[in-house]
Amino acid sequence: MKFDTIEDVLAALEAQNYVAERGLATTLFLALKMQRPVFLEGEAGVGKTEIAKVLARLLDVPLIRLQCYEGLDVHTAVYEWNYARQMLQIRLVEATGRQDQEAVIQEIFGPAYLIERPLLQAVRASESGKAPVLLIDELDRADEEFEAFLLELLSDFQITIPEIGTVSAPEPPVVVITSNRTREIHDALKRRCLYYWIDYPSREKELDIVRHKVPGLPEQLARQVVAFVQELRQADLYKLPGVAETLDWSRALMTLQRVDLDPATVDDTLGTLLKYHDDITRIRGRTGEQILARAKAER
Ligand SMILES: Nc1ncnc2c1ncn2[C@@H]1O[C@H](COP(=O)(O)OP(=O)(O)O)[C@@H](O)[C@H]1O
Ligand SMILES: [Mg+2]
């Protein structure tokens, strides 16, 4: 799908049940036109990862995901030799008494023994004509060395495997990088990208998301849920609920066939919204009741 205007992007996202502000749609529009990576930052559960999934569906291309974590290294991100298979082949060669050692080495360092990891997969997929969406998720969890490596990759989309050669992507993949901002990502990397901060949604936006994602939820309950969560985000908590939690709560209430929020239901279902015991203890009971009263008073 090609987009001629920002409105096209907004409409396409909406058609995929993704509710976006104009600012985000503009960033995506520009990223596609200018072939630049998008860097999305924001708290957990505000819809960063989902953007990459939705984009892949819209563009009708594969989604290749690299989940970052501490200790993620180039081998796990780019490629690895299938060591076990190489060893097995060597044993077989020994057993059959083959003499052509050089050929054997060539063979076991050939494509059949290569395990492609997400970054190589992405470059290869582009090479074969259909640039995929490459999601580099939660980059803040990876180490800084990995970031430096990524910076290099993003500048030319080519990967050199000493034993095989260089693979390069004629058309760059659509790159979406996300960060939950547990640490700052370096300026150098950010400079390559178009940046967008996804905030917690406004009340209107969140209600819109709930309507799209939990279609059967009674309208009155949807309003109460969203108002409650919005109030809850003003509380002093260790971990505030994201949109993911609002949706979970909505689905839980629908499963319980509620049409109206009451203090007991709130207490019993807090575990869908809050994931820390201290936070739950803080809200359960009196405080939760007050938040509920305020939420219900809003019109
Ligand atoms: N703007 C939005 N429109 C539709 N669904 C959303 C939106 N924001 C978040 N969600 C939903 O909330 C959940 C969490 O989103 P996710 O992308 O995993 O968050 P993040 O990656 O920011 O932690 C997903 O189920 C996603 O579909
Ligand atoms: Mg995510």
Side-chain angles (χ1 to χ4, degrees):
M1 188 184 247
K2 288 264 175 265
F3 304 106
D4 294 323
T5 62
I6 294 161
E7 281 70 27
D8 288 351
V9 177
L10 269 174
L13 291 173
E14 171 120 25
Q16 295 286 332
N17 285 330
Y18 192 92
V19 183
E21 285 114 20
R22 207 183 152 79
L24 177 59
T26 307
T27 305
L28 297 176
F29 175 77
L30 289 175
L32 292 172
K33 289 275 177 224
M34 298 163 69
Q35 299 198 326
R36 294 275 291 277
V38 192
F39 187 89
L40 300 174
E41 224 172 21
E43 303 293 335
V46 293
K48 302 182 296 296
T49 302
E50 181 79 4
I51 278 286
K53 297 182 189 168
V54 166
L55 268 184
R57 284 204 298 269
L58 283 182
L59 301 169
D60 192 23
V61 297
L63 171 71
I64 296 176
R65 176 175 187 168
L66 175 66
Q67 171 65 52
C68 298
Y69 54 87
E70 209 181 315
L72 170 70
D73 61 4
V74 172
H75 292 298
T76 350
V78 187
Y79 71 88
E80 218 167 1
W81 289 107
N82 189 339
Y83 185 68
R85 204 171 157 205
Q86 285 176 326
M87 289 312 291
L88 194 64
Q89 181 63 3
I90 290 171
R91 293 270 159 73
L92 286 173
V93 166
E94 277 170 2
T96 54
R98 253 171 81 180
Q99 295 299 318
D100 50 344
Q101 290 179 2
E102 201 39 52
V104 171
I105 291 186
Q106 290 265 321
E107 188 184 317
I108 65 174
F109 284 101
Y113 292 79
L114 192 70
I115 304 174
E116 296 189 359
R117 299 295 185 198
L119 296 181
L120 181 58
Q121 283 169 11
V123 172
R124 268 232 205 286
S126 309
E127 196 185 36
S128 64
K130 212 169 193 187
V133 170
L134 170 63
L135 166 64
I136 300 170
D137 215 11
E138 306 187 345
L139 180 60
D140 52 330
R141 291 187 184 204
D143 307 315
E144 301 193 0
E145 294 104 85
F146 182 74
E147 222 184 288
F149 167 80
L150 200 59
L151 185 63
E152 215 179 289
L153 179 80
L154 293 181
S155 68
D156 52 11
F157 287 104
Q158 79 180 24
I159 292 171
T160 300
I161 304 166
E163 298 85 352
I164 294 183
T166 298
V167 193
S168 62
E171 182 153 354
V174 177
V175 181
V176 177
I177 302 174
T178 79
S179 164
N180 288 341
R181 212 189 191 186
T182 54
R183 70 172 174 87
E184 282 297 331
I185 301 299
H186 284 195
D187 279 354
L189 193 116
K190 285 193 193 162
R191 240 179 282 131
R192 290 232 155 270
C193 306
L194 302 183
Y195 178 87
Y196 192 80
W197 171 264
I198 304 190
D199 220 331
Y200 286 123
S202 66
R203 202 173 123 170
E204 272 318 303
K205 179 177 165 187
E206 195 157 23
L207 196 52
D208 215 9
I209 297 172
V210 170
R211 286 183 190 130
H212 274 94
K213 289 281 169 88
V214 195
L217 194 71
E219 175 67 16
Q220 170 186 274
L221 187 56
R223 287 180 173 279
Q224 291 175 356
V225 162
V226 169
F228 188 95
V229 174
Q230 294 267 331
E231 286 280 342
L232 195 57
R233 291 201 188 109
Q234 307 301 317
D236 178 23
L237 294 173
Y238 178 69
K239 175 71 185 68
L240 298 177
V243 177
E245 283 71 29
T246 311
L247 295 175
D248 268 352
W249 196 28
S250 304
R251 292 183 185 121
L253 294 168
M254 208 158 88
T255 307
L256 297 173
Q257 302 185 323
R258 293 292 187 276
V259 287
D260 188 55
L261 276 182
D262 58 82
T265 303
V266 170
D267 276 359
D268 293 345
T269 53
L270 269 182
T272 57
L273 281 179
L274 302 172
K275 308 295 162 100
Y276 286 87
H277 178 61
D278 286 352
D279 286 348
I280 293 180
T281 314
R282 184 162 300 170
I283 299 303
R284 184 180 282 149
R286 189 84 196 100
T287 312
E289 229 173 283
Q290 287 167 347
I291 294 177
L292 180 59
R294 284 203 298 278
K296 282 186 157 184
E298 281 177 38
R299 275 284 144 233

